[in-house]
Amino acid sequence: MTTDIGGLSFAFNAGDGDIDLAGMVPELHGLDQIRGARIGDLFQAPERLAGVDRLGVGVSLGELDQVGTDLGNLDLGRLGLGRENPGDLDLGHLGAGTDELGLHPGPDGREPPGKPGLATDPPVFVDPTRRLPFVWRDPIIIDRSLLGEDSPIPWTWVPTPPRNSVHRGDLDVPVAPSASPTDGDLFESPDGGTRYALPRYSLAFETTGDPRVSIVERDGTAILIMAFAETPSPAAAPGVAKLPHLVTVSLKYRVPVITGGTMVLDLPFPSVRIDGTSVVAEMPLTTPGLRQQLLAALSSLEAGVSLVVGRAVTVGVPTGETMEDGLPGYRKERLLLEWTAPPAPLVISEAHRNRLGGVTGGIQPMGCVRIPFDGRSHPYWQDPARPERFYFLPDRFLLARLPGTGRPPALKVRATSAASVNDVRVTLEFYAQPVLVRERLEAARPVLEEETRVRGVVAPVRLEVLPDPQPVLRLALPQGGAPSIGLVERPEADIDLELGVTHAETLALEDFRLVYDALFGASLSLLRGEVRVGAGGASEDVPLELRFDCTAGDVLTLTVTAASAAHIEARLTNGIESRVRPGRPAALAVCADRQIPLSIEGLADDLVLPPGEGLDVRLVPRTPLPETGAQSVVLDQSGVVVDPDREAIWARVFDRTAQPQLVREVSVEAVPALFAGPQGDRVAAFVVTVERGGTVRLTEDAPTGVTSVRVPVQPLLTGAPPPPLRYRTETWWQSGGIGVSDWRETEATILLPVRTAPTPTTPTPSAQGGDER
């Protein structure tokens, strides 16, 4: 789902020169735990929202932590989200019911528009059908200079980040049967006494057989209205209650591209109202071309118009964790369960289109404008019905760093147990974030504005990530220990141009070693890749770079300790596992209405910060800070150099939970001379016990034997030698005595028994021929 936010929104790690796509607006500089956010979905807010640290259930948005001033706690109910100032938005009651949405009268006593039901803008929830990357979003910072001045500010709800597991009985919402529920599942109350089913919605029809699709004029603006009727869930049955939910609606249709091919556009309905068992969705047709385009699409089978109805629910889901008392753990989640409402595709009759004011003609194709920047030609696709709207691609994908302590690389290495070295398989799973060079977009804006004016549109340019890109990951992977000569498609990769790329690749041992070395910059040809986007028939490639010294995500942390109008005192700390060379990073003070450049004093050019260490610095603003102080300080870390620490990184990326082992065959041999003893005594048998292996019994008639030894796979992955073998020998003499040797270590694969004279008090072997583990 993509919500029209009316402006440009990018997600990025605050301060990165290459901005990772999530939003660049100072008003939301502190939202540091966002999960599943998409560009164009979220994160527009009025100026009064500046300084928010966390937004979630049970949080009143207190502790704004504003630099240079003490604002105390800000009550969530007085934020006045949206230009209509709807007043109190109680995040703790989302999903409490269709008639109790937690939307309360504002300070002026007015009800929010469209209540009961959801109005103005749909909330954004986690889609459980998508395999989301195993990271949360970094802080959101939105640059107002990239937005049109008249950009509307819709209501926004932020998904609740995962919290610690709780008992099922501690939940106050219905419980889902699995961590990824569907709209056909049966839900239960925490005590199991009530069962719930989630209804579906289908497009309603008139008695004439036409779908309930209409266009009305309201205050000089045409409004597209679609009505839906509730249909039962597959889990519906007598005694099953309706699961409380909110509703979102979006319209998808396929539009041709001038350069060839087609593209699917996703238009959300900004207003969705629930009235009993009916849903009414409204979309303002703000440009004349949009009305004709949608009517042409609704009249065309090739356009493939579909209506996607999302049901936003707040439920408890199992986390897979076990509580201290052995019971399963649960977590409260906000989920968006989508359903394509029948009929699909939706096609209206010619008579119906004429009643809606349609004109003859087909769907207008989407154009493409190419603008060079930094040696590359970047495409921007222009919406024919909304010429001020352009779609673009990220500049590249970089290996991400996870938030939290140590900000480890978003990469996991897992190995399987094997019967031989040739059978060892290693799975390397990574998450790469999209990044955007901000200067590229700023340089493109004047050209795109001119393209908009040529079409007679004066609205501000709006940019969004390309929808329906049909991407595929292509990697150069070694085979048989040799580099690949070309890129190979990996269709199983999970790719989202806004969220990133998640992929797991299983490799043979020798291939994995080459790939892992490439992560440290050992090779530019290995592990290179790209995300190929089938945009409009002519494919476009977005580079993918997987290297530990060039990642998406902050590696330095800046903690403000004191502030005044003249300067800011702060502590700069290396927050990762490897050494960092800060260089001369740039900094900005984000104030209520502007951004003030800061110079950093106290940094030497050759400074090297070991992991966890830091130093005090002074940030001096180019112009004095306002009396209200600054909401945050943004550090540009594009010039920071990381010296990857192989051992420290390996300790964070290797998954030790499985404890994979390699089974090796070891030979044990005794030469004939070993069986002869003093004074005519002879050795009856040698019993050799190998640690983490078996026991071999050798006699003069059978002087050789073989056993299996289990050794850890981990050392083999990094090229380290396998650990030495440890064994001991019991010497059984014909005279009845038994001698036991000390444990011996060797790196040989053929073991020789150690003949030991009997001791006066030789213990009887507890398990002859048994394993010693």
Side-chain angles (χ1 to χ4, degrees):
M1 185 187 77
T2 301
T3 299
D4 180 4
I5 63 173
L8 177 61
S9 173
F10 302 114
F12 82 118
N13 300 311
D16 280 354
D18 284 343
I19 301 170
D20 106 359
L21 305 168
M24 294 188 299
V25 177
E27 285 75 10
L28 293 173
H29 69 85
L31 292 176
D32 61 351
Q33 291 185 347
I34 306 301
R35 182 175 180 230
R38 293 192 189 181
I39 298 174
D41 279 359
L42 292 180
F43 314 127
Q44 304 263 357
E47 289 73 13
R48 285 165 292 181
L49 201 54
V52 177
D53 263 345
R54 289 176 174 83
L55 184 57
V57 174
V59 180
S60 64
L61 297 185
E63 300 181 5
L64 289 185
D65 193 23
Q66 194 168 21
V67 178
T69 183
D70 183 9
L71 294 185
N73 289 338
L74 174 63
D75 182 25
L76 181 61
R78 301 187 181 278
L79 281 178
L81 296 179
R83 297 201 172 187
E84 296 299 325
N85 191 22
D88 195 353
L89 171 60
D90 183 359
L91 294 180
H93 290 82
L94 276 181
T98 54
D99 293 327
E100 182 186 353
L101 302 181
L103 307 180
H104 309 300
D108 57 0
R110 292 185 298 149
E111 291 283 330
K115 186 179 178 181
L118 176 65
T120 305
D121 192 67
V124 175
F125 293 79
V126 177
D127 181 354
T129 63
R130 295 168 45 82
R131 188 176 71 150
L132 294 176
F134 48 92
V135 296
W136 295 345
R137 308 305 300 178
D138 275 333
I140 303 296
I141 297 189
I142 309 174
D143 188 346
R144 297 294 295 184
S145 67
L146 296 178
L147 301 177
E149 293 183 358
D150 61 346
S151 300
I153 301 176
W155 289 29
T156 296
W157 283 298
V158 180
T160 306
R163 304 193 175 197
N164 294 332
S165 296
V166 300
H167 288 94
R168 173 170 170 151
D170 294 332
L171 295 171
D172 57 0
V173 294
V175 181
S178 67
S180 299
T182 69
D183 66 352
D185 287 339
L186 194 63
F187 300 78
E188 294 183 346
S189 59
D191 61 6
T194 306
R195 297 182 301 167
Y196 301 91
L198 184 63
R200 294 174 174 175
Y201 295 90
S202 299
L203 189 63
F205 282 78
E206 306 284 1
T207 56
T208 59
D210 290 324
R212 292 187 60 185
V213 178
S214 60
I215 295 179
V216 300
E217 296 290 334
R218 188 180 299 160
D219 297 329
T221 301
I223 308 293
L224 173 65
I225 301 176
M226 292 189 175
F228 299 81
E230 181 181 309
T231 58
S233 162
V240 176
K242 185 189 304 184
L243 183 68
H245 61 282
L246 304 175
V247 175
T248 67
V249 179
S250 63
L251 184 150
K252 295 184 178 182
Y253 70 101
R254 190 168 293 277
V255 59
V257 182
I258 279 183
T259 55
T262 60
M263 187 181 299
V264 173
L265 295 185
D266 186 348
L267 303 182
F269 284 79
S271 175
V272 180
R273 298 192 306 275
I274 304 175
D275 184 9
T277 60
S278 300
V279 168
V280 178
E282 298 185 356
M283 179 191 301
L285 306 179
T286 53
T287 58
L290 181 58
R291 178 173 186 162
Q292 277 69 35
Q293 185 83 335
L294 289 182
L295 289 179
L298 287 168
S299 306
S300 168
L301 185 63
E302 290 75 14
V305 174
S306 62
L307 299 170
V308 179
V309 179
R311 279 71 39 82
V313 298
T314 302
V315 296
V317 298
T319 62
E321 300 175 356
T322 301
M323 307 294 287
E324 293 181 356
D325 55 6
L327 295 177
Y330 289 83
R331 178 175 61 234
K332 184 186 292 188
E333 287 268 5
R334 297 184 193 144
L335 305 176
L336 183 66
L337 304 179
E338 293 187 333
W339 151 262
T340 300
L346 172 62
V347 181
I348 63 175
S349 65
E350 183 178 354
H352 194 178
R353 184 179 70 171
N354 291 336
R355 288 195 295 270
L356 298 178
V359 295
T360 58
I363 302 174
Q364 294 296 311
M366 180 174 290
C368 181
V369 180
R370 304 198 71 92
I371 303 176
F373 182 83
D374 196 22
R376 288 175 55 190
S377 176
H378 296 271
Y380 300 84
W381 291 271
Q382 188 175 25
D383 190 329
R386 300 171 295 174
E388 76 281 3
R389 195 175 303 266
F390 291 84
Y391 301 94
F392 64 94
L393 297 174
D395 285 271
R396 55 181 173 161
F397 291 88
L398 293 179
L399 181 66
R401 281 191 174 270
L402 302 174
T405 304
R407 296 191 64 88
L411 182 138
K412 287 295 181 184
V413 176
R414 302 179 182 90
T416 59
S417 297
S420 68
V421 173
N422 292 333
D423 294 332
V424 173
R425 293 295 179 268
V426 188
T427 299
L428 185 145
E429 182 180 6
F430 65 84
Y431 167 63
Q433 277 187 298
V435 296
L436 173 70
V437 177
R438 174 178 173 179
E439 290 77 11
R440 190 254 291 189
L441 223 61
E442 292 175 339
R445 179 171 291 276
V447 180
L448 301 180
E449 287 178 345
E450 181 62 27
E451 292 289 336
T452 302
R453 303 297 179 264
V454 169
R455 293 176 173 261
V457 178
V458 296
V461 167
R462 302 177 183 181
L463 296 167
E464 298 179 11
V465 172
L466 183 71
D468 186 44
Q470 303 171 3
V472 63
L473 176 64
R474 304 174 76 235
L475 288 177
L477 296 171
Q479 292 185 350
S484 173
I485 60 175
L487 299 177
V488 181
E489 290 189 359
R490 319 311 287 174
E492 68 278 6
D494 185 6
I495 305 173
D496 189 301
L497 295 187
E498 301 176 45
L499 291 177
V501 178
T502 302
H503 179 59
E505 190 72 39
T506 300
L507 304 164
L509 178 58
E510 58 181 351
D511 293 338
F512 167 76
R513 288 173 177 171
L514 292 174
V515 167
Y516 192 71
D517 285 342
L519 289 167
F520 291 88
S523 171
L524 297 178
S525 60
L526 278 172
L527 207 59
R528 61 187 173 91
E530 62 192 19
V531 174
R532 173 155 290 182
V533 176
S539 62
E540 299 285 342
D541 296 326
V542 182
L544 170 73
E545 299 177 22
L546 300 176
R547 291 170 50 186
F548 289 126
D549 63 346
C550 183
T551 57
D554 289 349
V555 297
L556 298 173
T557 60
L558 188 70
T559 305
V560 174
T561 56
S564 66
H567 63 268
I568 297 173
E569 303 289 343
R571 180 79 176 174
L572 188 68
T573 306
N574 177 7
I576 65 171
E577 77 295 321
S578 303
R579 298 194 313 167
V580 169
R581 304 175 188 272
R584 292 287 184 177
L588 287 174
V590 180
C591 303
D593 55 351
R594 66 186 187 279
Q595 298 174 351
I596 301 176
L598 302 169
S599 61
I600 304 179
E601 298 178 351
L603 288 179
D605 292 336
D606 57 352
L607 175 67
V608 177
L609 287 179
E613 295 192 12
L615 78 162
D616 296 323
V617 297
R618 171 175 289 192
L619 295 87
V620 180
R622 181 179 299 174
T623 58
L625 298 175
E627 293 182 359
T628 56
Q631 281 74 42
S632 69
V633 174
V634 179
L635 192 65
D636 177 6
Q637 302 189 29
S638 59
V640 175
V641 178
V642 176
D643 297 331
D645 185 321
R646 294 184 74 100
E647 292 186 3
I649 289 176
W650 182 256
R652 286 161 174 77
V653 303
F654 181 65
D655 184 359
R656 291 170 172 78
T657 58
Q659 295 294 330
Q661 295 180 328
L662 175 66
V663 180
R664 297 173 54 191
E665 282 195 351
V666 176
S667 298
V668 185
E669 300 180 4
V671 298
L674 285 176
F675 290 94
Q679 300 177 353
D681 199 1
R682 296 189 68 79
V683 175
F686 292 108
V687 178
V688 179
T689 301
V690 184
E691 190 177 53
R692 297 192 303 270
T695 300
V696 177
R697 180 174 177 174
L698 306 179
T699 65
E700 287 189 86
D701 295 333
T704 63
V706 177
T707 186
S708 296
V709 180
R710 299 176 304 278
V711 297
V713 170
Q714 178 186 347
L716 303 177
L717 303 182
T718 56
L725 296 176
R726 297 183 75 241
Y727 73 100
R728 80 179 176 189
T729 305
E730 294 178 1
T731 307
W732 296 4
W733 296 91
Q734 288 181 351
S735 59
I738 298 177
V740 181
S741 72
D742 294 331
W743 286 97
R744 174 171 291 191
E745 291 187 353
T746 180
E747 296 180 356
T749 57
I750 300 178
L751 307 182
L752 299 177
V754 180
R755 191 176 66 180
T756 308
T759 58
T761 55
T762 301
T764 301
S766 58
Q768 297 180 11
D771 289 353
E772 180 169 320
R773 306 288 179 179

